[in-house]
Amino acid sequence: MSIGEYIRDSQIWKSIFRHPAPYDRRNRVVVMLTNFFLHLHPVSVKKQGIALSYTWCMGGITFFLFLVETVTGVLLMFYYRPTLEWAYNDILALRDVTTLGIMREIHRWAAHAMVITVWLHMYRVFLTGSYKPPREFNWVVGVLLLVLTLLLSFTGYLLPWDQLAIWAITVGSNMARATPFLGHEGPGAQILNLGGFDLITNASDARFILLGGRFVGENTLNRFYILHCVAIPLVVAGLIAIHFWRVRKDGGISQPL
Amino acid sequence: MDPHPDLTPEVIRGLGWLYLLLAAMNALWTWREVKRHVSAGSIAGWAVFTTLLFLVGVAHVTGGAEPEQFLIRMPEWFKSRVDQLAKPTTYFTGSLLLFVAVIWLREWLVKPTVAWVLLNLAVLFMCLSLTDYDFRQIVGKPDNVPIVSMLFIVGFFTWLYFRRAVDNDQRIAAGRPLFEQEDNDKILVWPDLVYTEMICMIALTAILVVWGVVLQAPLEDPASAVRTPNPSKAPWYFLGLQEMLVYYDPWMAGVVLPSIILVGLMALPYIDFNKKGNGYYTFNERKFSIITFLFGFIPLWIGLIILGTFLRGPNWNFFGIYEFWDVHKLENLNNVNLSELVWVDTLKQPLPVASAGASEWQKILAILLRESVGLVLVAVYLFVLPPLMAMTIFRRFFVRMGFLRYMVFANLVLFMACLPIKMVLRWAFRLKYIVAIPEWFFNI
Ligand code: HEM
């Protein structure tokens, strides 16, 4: 009996994997049905539906990059403190002294890559007409995922607290000041006043809510940190679950009728 | 200080590796040609080209030559010519022409040899350009490296799309089954899909680790609320929006137009009534939707990101790719509002203003009078054009879509068109605002 067979035959192994090795057709079906992770997939698919030149694998790559971001992000959270005193220094130390400081590089490059792959995924879905019935709603879920991916990247951009970070966020969030009705420099904001008292000022408008202040400061760092590490990832994870569920329920990856 | 320090030995060596990579790629290509038994002349041509690249690469990598005496570089006359031509106008017209050309010539472009020659040209252009200091400063920024690769990747996938679409369109015309319908049996997910996924994950992990080791993530000076960098740029994926700020005020460029983009994307499946082209690549069966989407994605979204990243320097001025980012570059910014063009230039009278002790209402009326022409134009654009188009160019759409669907569609198209329209107005008439009511933060 070889070592491999011995391990596969042990009680421990069998308690984890409830089926024989997927060497024959029957067990290749069973493995898909009994394994938690694999049951995301159907048992069998159309050959052209999973061809790389058809899907470009971009949805899958986006999902994988999301997982990479989660793992490297959690590791970074052990180290990084989102305060004016420490944020920059912690990133500096990640670069210069910390073992596994490369996590920051991977986290940043994978984030850029994820933005690009999510665009390409949308591009492919459009070009194969996969948003057409019955997949309209999954396209809408996808658009939400696209927005949230951009927001994840945007909120993360601030955390190193260097010049690049705060000015990019300043430029980006200055727009909120001009939101119609809700920004203090937006059209219509002047109408919203009670007896001569302005409701929308630079201390109560959309930008103030986003930044937690009149300019990008300590409150902003805290808000963006929580959005970046907790709030948005949770929503994204939930939407991805719905997205995948719908891919299956809408009949799998689109193919000509 | 000399703003254009020359090549360094490290740069030359780095370029050498790029040439070697290109030589290796062309060696594979030559091998492919040999396998395909093409004419001996063409095989010999590719072999000679590969050898040349290889020699150039080796010369770079081992080069003991003084950087100043290095010969293979972008000629100065070419650089200054490109920089002279570089303007927002030429950039945008150029990208539009390219867009039209790609669609027009698609059947020719999808040939592998054509694509391969174009890829070679693009990489050679990059290599030669990298001998320029100012080009290196911008393209070589760590955060910009993904954008350069995005250019190549988007180009590749667009090519792949056209290749499959042209193939399917020919099949449809000849009454043959689609590419996707041939050889399309059900297969088991284990092993076929599961293994593809695993290989994909391993490859990606490797790429990310190598990328992380080779390229350090940027970290600038600690944040300072008083030292504003010039230029101050949003994260790269929002640079298309920042570029729109040149033409529209923040409430339009930063809030309304992005919201419209998102609403438009979400509405898309409910607007497109064309049942064809679901689940396979095609161009001919859905020309209108493909052209519209490609126009929004390539020249307007990707194109403006490239513009904002590589061509906008201090004070958001436009710079050629080989130009030094001079903080003191002056640009003539004498743009005028439509109201001034109408009242001052055409009617030869001052802009209407309310007299000193005028009531609130009189002031409002004066403002509305001042901007009347612009307001009417905007109203015509938004409320008269849709029904007009429904009766003319979009007649077929209106009939198929019904009233509500058509109105949403028409407005989305008009909003998409409003950026290029404003660009052209700016370039042709130096037009600043069509409606300018700074009193209410309402400028269009
Ligand atoms: C975090 C972002 C996203 C993830 C992780 C994700 C993941 C996936 C995956 C794994 C698939 C299976 C097929 C494939 O890989 O191509 C898929 C399909 C699909 N996705 Fe996404 N996606 C995301 C964003 C989007 C976006 C932005 C859109 C569109 C705006 C979109 C629309 C769709 C549609 C309509 C399908 C069904 C395609 C078909 O049946 O051919 N998704 N997605």
Side-chain angles (χ1 to χ4, degrees):
Chain A
M1 193 189 275
S2 75
I3 298 188
E5 279 170 41
Y6 178 78
I7 295 179
R8 277 186 195 284
D9 235 23
S10 68
Q11 189 183 358
I12 300 180
W13 181 274
K14 281 183 170 167
S15 73
I16 304 175
F17 301 103
R18 314 215 72 120
H19 51 77
Y23 289 155
D24 52 22
R25 193 181 158 84
R26 196 190 108 80
N27 283 317
R28 285 176 174 173
V29 172
V30 173
V31 66
M32 298 306 296
L33 295 175
T34 52
N35 184 301
F36 174 77
F37 297 101
L38 293 179
H39 97 284
L40 273 176
H41 286 310
V43 170
S44 64
V45 285
K46 286 278 190 72
K47 186 170 173 192
Q48 293 298 333
I50 57 163
L52 275 185
S53 65
Y54 183 77
T55 65
W56 310 348
C57 198
M58 280 303 159
I61 292 181
T62 311
F63 180 53
F64 178 67
L65 289 173
F66 180 71
L67 296 181
V68 169
E69 290 300 89
T70 312
V71 173
T72 52
V74 167
L75 291 175
L76 288 170
M77 279 173 81
F78 285 133
Y79 201 82
Y80 166 91
R81 290 159 283 184
T83 61
L84 292 197
E85 196 184 352
W86 288 111
Y88 183 78
N89 288 326
D90 285 346
I91 300 283
L92 206 60
L94 277 171
R95 186 183 74 185
D96 294 337
V97 293
T98 316
T99 324
L100 286 189
I102 194 188
M103 286 304 141
R104 173 175 179 235
E105 267 73 25
I106 296 183
H107 195 76
R108 191 180 186 95
W109 301 141
H112 284 339
M114 186 172 163
V115 170
I116 296 173
T117 57
V118 81
W119 289 348
L120 287 173
H121 173 56
M122 177 182 76
Y123 196 32
R124 180 304 273 179
V125 171
F126 177 83
L127 292 174
T128 54
S130 307
Y131 58 86
K132 300 187 178 203
R135 298 186 179 78
E136 308 101 304
F137 182 68
N138 215 15
W139 168 271
V140 177
V141 175
V143 176
L144 294 177
L145 279 170
L146 173 81
V147 181
L148 289 171
T149 307
L150 293 179
L151 288 181
L152 263 181
S153 192
F154 183 68
T155 48
Y157 216 83
L158 182 66
L159 304 183
W161 204 248
D162 60 345
Q163 282 287 73
L164 199 62
I166 71 158
W167 289 101
I169 303 305
T170 305
V171 170
S173 58
N174 272 347
M175 314 270 182
R177 170 151 80 189
T179 316
F181 298 105
L182 298 179
H184 78 278
E185 287 179 5
Q190 287 149 319
I191 301 171
L192 298 178
N193 69 38
L194 278 180
F197 178 75
D198 283 333
L199 292 180
I200 304 292
T201 66
N202 66 355
S204 69
D205 67 350
R207 181 166 183 269
F208 189 91
I209 295 173
L210 183 68
L211 299 185
R214 292 196 185 106
F215 46 83
V216 179
E218 173 126 52
N219 284 339
T220 319
L221 186 55
N222 190 47
R223 269 178 204 206
F224 275 42
Y225 179 71
I226 291 173
L227 283 173
H228 183 76
C229 303
V230 186
I232 304 181
L234 282 179
V235 181
V236 169
L239 282 177
I240 288 183
I242 298 177
H243 195 61
F244 287 1
W245 170 261
R246 286 299 297 237
V247 171
R248 292 281 304 270
K249 292 292 146 181
D250 292 341
I253 293 176
S254 57
Q255 280 295 284
L257 296 173
Chain B
M1 205 190 81
D2 180 9
H4 306 278
D6 204 26
L7 289 171
T8 61
E10 292 81 55
V11 174
I12 294 186
R13 228 170 295 134
L15 278 174
W17 289 111
L18 260 179
Y19 281 113
L20 286 182
L21 180 73
L22 193 61
M25 281 161 46
N26 276 297
L28 288 178
W29 178 264
T30 315
W31 181 239
R32 174 182 182 271
E33 298 290 85
V34 172
K35 286 286 223 32
R36 287 179 56 232
H37 302 295
V38 295
S39 72
S42 122
I43 294 179
W46 285 110
V48 170
F49 180 59
T50 309
T51 320
L52 273 179
L53 281 175
F54 180 73
L55 292 178
V56 170
V58 171
H60 276 68
V61 172
T62 59
E66 282 295 296
E68 283 85 40
Q69 294 154 4
F70 212 76
L71 287 181
I72 302 172
R73 54 170 78 210
M74 196 59 109
E76 290 300 325
W77 63 264
F78 180 81
K79 293 201 271 189
S80 53
R81 195 85 199 101
V82 168
D83 283 346
Q84 270 168 14
L85 286 176
K87 283 191 221 61
T89 14
T90 42
Y91 178 80
F92 195 68
T93 342
S95 61
L96 274 190
L97 287 179
L98 196 69
F99 177 70
V100 175
V102 167
I103 291 179
W104 204 266
L105 302 174
R106 59 184 185 279
E107 297 193 356
W108 178 69
L109 282 172
V110 297
K111 293 188 180 143
T113 313
V114 176
W116 189 255
V117 171
L118 287 178
L119 176 69
N120 265 305
L121 288 178
V123 177
L124 280 179
F125 176 76
M126 277 294 290
C127 288
L128 285 175
S129 294
L130 279 169
T131 56
D132 182 80
Y133 175 79
D134 296 300
F135 186 86
R136 277 204 308 279
Q137 289 311 293
I138 307 162
V139 170
K141 263 199 196 142
D143 261 353
N144 289 352
V145 170
I147 312 177
V148 177
S149 34
M150 175 181 76
L151 254 186
F152 282 87
I153 295 173
V154 168
F156 169 73
F157 280 116
T158 308
W159 179 81
L160 185 63
Y161 157 66
F162 274 115
R163 183 162 170 80
R164 301 248 329 214
V166 165
D167 176 36
N168 268 346
D169 287 343
Q170 285 165 352
R171 285 161 181 267
I172 294 168
R176 284 183 292 137
L178 299 163
F179 179 80
E180 285 84 354
Q181 284 166 331
E182 273 179 6
D183 184 22
N184 198 9
D185 299 331
K186 283 239 170 185
I187 51 171
L188 285 182
V189 167
W190 185 298
D192 289 270
L193 179 55
V194 182
Y195 274 62
T196 314
E197 285 174 344
M198 198 176 73
I199 295 167
C200 213
M201 286 195 278
I202 294 172
L204 270 172
T205 313
I207 291 176
L208 285 174
V209 170
V210 170
W211 191 1
V213 170
V214 172
L215 207 63
Q216 198 164 53
L219 186 64
E220 298 189 349
D221 292 340
S224 148
V226 287
R227 278 193 303 122
T228 317
N230 188 5
S232 285
K233 290 192 177 183
W236 63 269
Y237 35 83
F238 287 150
L239 286 185
L241 304 180
Q242 201 175 350
E243 176 63 20
M244 296 205 292
L245 281 175
V246 176
Y247 304 97
Y248 283 104
D249 267 15
W251 74 278
M252 276 289 281
V255 186
V256 173
L257 290 177
S259 314
I260 298 271
I261 297 176
L262 293 179
V263 171
L265 280 176
M266 290 198 228
L268 179 87
Y270 305 96
I271 295 176
D272 187 354
F273 56 81
N274 182 357
K275 294 262 181 299
K276 286 185 189 155
N278 184 348
Y280 55 96
Y281 288 100
T282 168
F283 178 80
N284 286 347
E285 289 196 336
R286 32 195 299 243
K287 275 192 181 133
F288 182 81
S289 63
I290 297 263
I291 291 180
T292 317
F293 189 90
L294 279 183
F295 177 70
F297 187 62
I298 305 287
L300 286 188
W301 187 252
I302 302 287
L304 290 190
I305 288 177
I306 301 295
L307 172 59
T309 311
F310 298 120
L311 305 175
R312 288 290 184 183
N315 307 322
W316 210 253
N317 279 333
F318 193 94
F319 289 86
I321 42 178
Y322 308 115
E323 202 173 336
F324 173 60
W325 277 17
D326 184 357
V327 191
H328 305 294
K329 176 169 177 170
L330 283 183
E331 260 184 26
N332 198 350
L333 285 177
N334 282 328
N335 296 328
V336 289
N337 295 329
L338 182 63
S339 47
E340 286 158 14
L341 284 177
V342 170
W343 293 98
V344 184
D345 292 2
T346 314
L347 300 177
K348 308 283 181 219
Q349 30 175 294
L351 290 176
V353 280
S355 54
S359 74
E360 257 335 280
W361 283 110
Q362 281 167 323
K363 281 189 201 156
I364 293 179
L365 279 180
I367 291 178
L368 291 181
L369 178 64
R370 184 186 75 203
E371 301 301 328
S372 48
V373 178
L375 287 169
V376 169
L377 279 181
V378 172
V380 167
Y381 187 73
L382 287 182
F383 302 111
V384 180
L385 270 193
L388 208 62
M389 293 192 300
M391 291 185 293
T392 53
I393 46 172
F394 288 149
R395 199 188 166 81
R396 207 168 50 84
F397 287 7
F398 181 70
V399 174
R400 291 283 299 271
M401 286 180 180
F403 180 74
L404 191 63
R405 219 179 276 254
Y406 170 78
M407 278 322 235
V408 175
F409 158 76
N411 273 290
L412 289 173
V413 170
L414 287 176
F415 268 100
M416 184 162 159
C418 79
L419 180 66
I421 290 179
K422 187 87 187 267
M423 287 178 164
V424 171
L425 290 177
R426 173 70 54 84
W427 299 331
F429 307 108
R430 309 197 136 275
L431 183 78
K432 190 165 182 202
Y433 294 125
I434 299 169
V435 174
I437 314 185
E439 294 90 337
W440 306 335
F441 302 117
F442 188 76
N443 300 319
I444 298 177

